[in-house]
């Protein structure tokens, strides 16, 4: 078994790649795997090696991180053919940092637990910028002992690291985070559309209200991008819709009405229908402004 | 005509009273009037005198501030019998700091303008705490010259003071502010209800997410009050509903769809129906938790 300074990493996309770089920078030896190997080859060197399969990552590392797009991807890389779980042995830890269903997380943790493998669900907030700057918020579910053992790993990638409770509570917290993000951003789009319809100077309006009770991260960071017509993705419409699906499913399980999120969801659907799936979430303002027949974005 | 160091003030309620105290503290002589005189008598002394009517306030002061609850109250104290407009003369300025309809504001400004009286609409954000601490955000509509002349007066009561454009644009900006406040707060209530239904530690959840993309003034300041069951008003449900009515009317004029605010509005109506009209806006969480059959507030 390798020392704790060796960490496996599966999924080297827009989030995973900079997270791996930060692990290497913090002195970890990273054994990484990506579905499309060619996209990951540039990462090699400086403490980062590429493995041939998730299974061989599990064999090489006592702690393996997964960072994939959705629940089925997580199932494929953990329990599919040559999956990481085949390589892991008792005493290992799987850390899933993807955003996936809390229920599926608890079930996977239970199956791994029977083989003596611990699992932490540790989804993140902060987007690609947070991943690059190692300032991610990391919300962790699972056993305290495993959390403590992995804390130095989390600290290499994030800033606000919170142990939220048992397995699944990291994912639950991430969904709470996304409910807040989606509702607040939709509110910002609606407010700016109202302001535009009344002929307001939109940047001045943001400046006048952002410091007070109307203020939010979304207004401060994405409000002006809406006005300036900058739709480069911090976080993509397409992925926000996936999180909205997870929110809806988790709410259904517990019979939680979602009056705000369910309305907001329609605007993300409309945004993807209009071809904005790969744009940043702030692109929903284009749906609002079209409905109102006004111009928010330059 | 009195010197510019004399300011009239009409409406000495939960907002007006501390604003008058801050004007006096900054060295202004304040001539004040309140509909219920008995409630205002404690304010007398230290540069504050009480007048017998809005009209006599207008006669005594070149600049008069109104701070009342709603559009009809503004009409009553300005153009009703013994109204302030009877006392004002050419060259005077009326500053309305209430939150009222932008359309009514523009019409009043036009009528006063014909008599050589300037009007500024200068609604505020920051609630009673902002009024007490002289940290209000003040959003001003009207002529630049009048704005400059009144700036020292605004500076005695607020912090972020922004000239938004011509008459009515202060009120428009305030409504944009309130769209943001209402949508963001409703989102916070929904997110905490979802979290409670999934058994999350709510204060820890707020702590884990408030510093990132999910963060807002509403979450930071009212989220924990929801959890702690503290429903003391910073801003009352009843008054928020009045602002929602103004938002709806102004949106109707310009055909602006309000998908988020119109859903949020139902929760404020339900909150008032449940008897929470005089409580703080965070009381809407009691409607959400009842719908979901869970406990957010202790």
């Amino acid at each position: 078994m390798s020392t704790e300074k060796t960490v496996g990493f599966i999924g080297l996309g827009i989030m995973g790649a900079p997270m791996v770089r930060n692990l290497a920078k913090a002195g970890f030896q990273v054994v990484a795997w990506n579905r499309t190997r060619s996209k990951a080859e540039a990462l090699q060197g400086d403490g980062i090696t590429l493995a041939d399969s998730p299974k061989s990552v599990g064999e090489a590392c006592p702690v393996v991180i997964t960072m994939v797009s959705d629940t089925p991807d997580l199932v494929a890389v953990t329990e599919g053919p040559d999956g990481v779980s085949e390589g892991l042995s008792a005493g290992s830890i799987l850390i899933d940092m993807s955003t996936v269903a809390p229920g599926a997380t608890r079930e996977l943790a239970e199956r791994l637990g029977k083989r003596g493998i611990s699992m932490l669900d540790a989804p993140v907030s902060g987007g690609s910028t947070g991943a690059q700057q190692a300032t991610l918020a990391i919300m962790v579910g699972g056993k305290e002992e495993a959390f403590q053992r992995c804390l130095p790993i989390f600290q290499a990638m994030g800033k606000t690291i919170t142990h939220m409770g048992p397995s699944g509570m990291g994912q639950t917290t991430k969904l709470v985070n996304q409910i807040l993000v989606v509702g607040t951003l939709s509110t910002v789009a609606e407010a700016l559309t109202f302001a535009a319809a009344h002929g307001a100077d939109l940047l001045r309006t943001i400046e006048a209200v952002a410091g007070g009770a109307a203020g939010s991260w979304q207004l401060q960071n994405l409000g002006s991008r809406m006005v300036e017509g900058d739709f480069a993705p911090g976080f993509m419409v397409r992925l926000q819709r996936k999180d909205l699906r997870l929110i809806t499913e988790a709410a259904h399980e517990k019979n939680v009405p979602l009056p705000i999120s369910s309305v907001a969801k329609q605007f993300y659907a409309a945004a993807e229908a209009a071809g904005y799936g790969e744009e940043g979430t702030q692109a929903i303002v284009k749906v609002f402004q079209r409905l109102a027949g006004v111009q928010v974005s330059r």
Side-chain angles (χ1 to χ4, degrees), chain A:
Chain A
M1 194 168 141
S2 320
T3 79
E4 206 84 352
K5 286 307 249 183
T6 304
V7 175
F9 206 106
I10 291 169
L12 306 169
I14 191 175
M15 296 295 291
M19 290 163 79
V20 159
R21 276 196 206 95
N22 286 324
L23 283 168
K25 206 185 288 174
F28 290 96
Q29 294 291 321
V30 186
V31 180
W33 180 85
N34 195 49
R35 192 164 48 186
T36 312
R37 187 185 166 102
S38 59
K39 287 191 187 166
E41 278 171 349
L43 277 175
Q44 287 179 109
D46 282 343
I48 304 168
T49 55
L50 292 188
D52 287 333
S53 69
K55 180 182 172 180
S56 54
V57 173
E59 286 166 348
C61 309
V63 175
V64 177
I65 295 168
T66 49
M67 189 64 179
V68 296
S69 288
D70 204 348
T71 315
D73 307 304
L74 176 64
V75 171
V77 299
T78 51
E79 299 185 309
D82 278 332
V84 66
S85 110
E86 284 182 33
L88 292 174
S89 47
S92 312
I93 301 179
L94 179 72
I95 308 175
D96 178 39
M97 304 188 75
S98 325
T99 298
V100 301
T105 291
R106 277 190 298 269
E107 289 162 20
L108 177 57
E110 214 179 301
R111 287 194 297 274
L112 292 172
K114 285 181 184 155
R115 292 176 45 213
I117 302 162
S118 299
M119 178 173 170
L120 296 173
D121 48 305
V124 304
S125 171
S128 51
T129 309
Q132 286 155 22
Q133 300 175 350
T135 56
L136 292 168
I138 308 178
M139 301 151 257
V140 189
K143 296 226 172 73
E144 175 70 21
E145 190 201 20
F147 173 74
Q148 290 300 341
R149 200 171 134 200
C150 297
L151 198 50
I153 296 172
F154 292 135
Q155 284 165 340
M157 298 179 287
K159 212 171 53 172
T160 311
I161 299 149
T162 317
H163 185 216
M164 299 307 305
S167 182
M169 290 312 296
Q171 295 297 350
T172 297
T173 308
K174 176 65 188 286
L175 296 186
V176 173
N177 187 83
Q178 296 304 70
I179 290 173
L180 290 163
V181 162
V182 159
T184 308
L185 181 66
S186 303
T187 300
V188 169
E190 178 165 310
L192 291 178
T193 303
F194 175 96
H198 286 85
D201 177 328
L202 298 180
L203 291 178
R204 192 183 296 183
T205 300
I206 293 171
E207 209 179 305
V209 304
S216 62
W217 188 98
Q218 296 290 323
L219 179 64
Q220 195 71 58
N221 288 274
L222 299 183
S224 57
R225 291 200 205 165
M226 287 178 177
V227 176
E228 284 155 1
D230 172 3
F231 299 114
F235 188 59
M236 282 181 200
V237 166
R238 181 171 60 75
L239 292 173
Q240 187 63 280
R241 287 194 74 208
K242 183 214 73 178
D243 292 352
L244 276 161
R245 198 196 71 230
L246 296 174
I247 289 164
T248 305
E249 289 166 5
H252 184 89
E253 280 170 30
K254 302 281 185 188
N255 307 318
V256 186
L258 294 176
I260 303 294
S261 304
S262 60
V263 171
K265 197 178 169 183
Q266 316 311 315
F267 287 85
Y268 288 86
E272 193 154 353
Y276 312 144
E278 307 289 314
E279 296 188 6
T281 49
Q282 68 274 24
I284 63 160
V285 76
K286 291 193 270 186
V287 180
F288 279 85
Q289 70 179 2
R290 189 175 305 165
L291 276 177
V294 297
Q295 194 77 16
V296 173
S297 301
R298 279 170 192 163

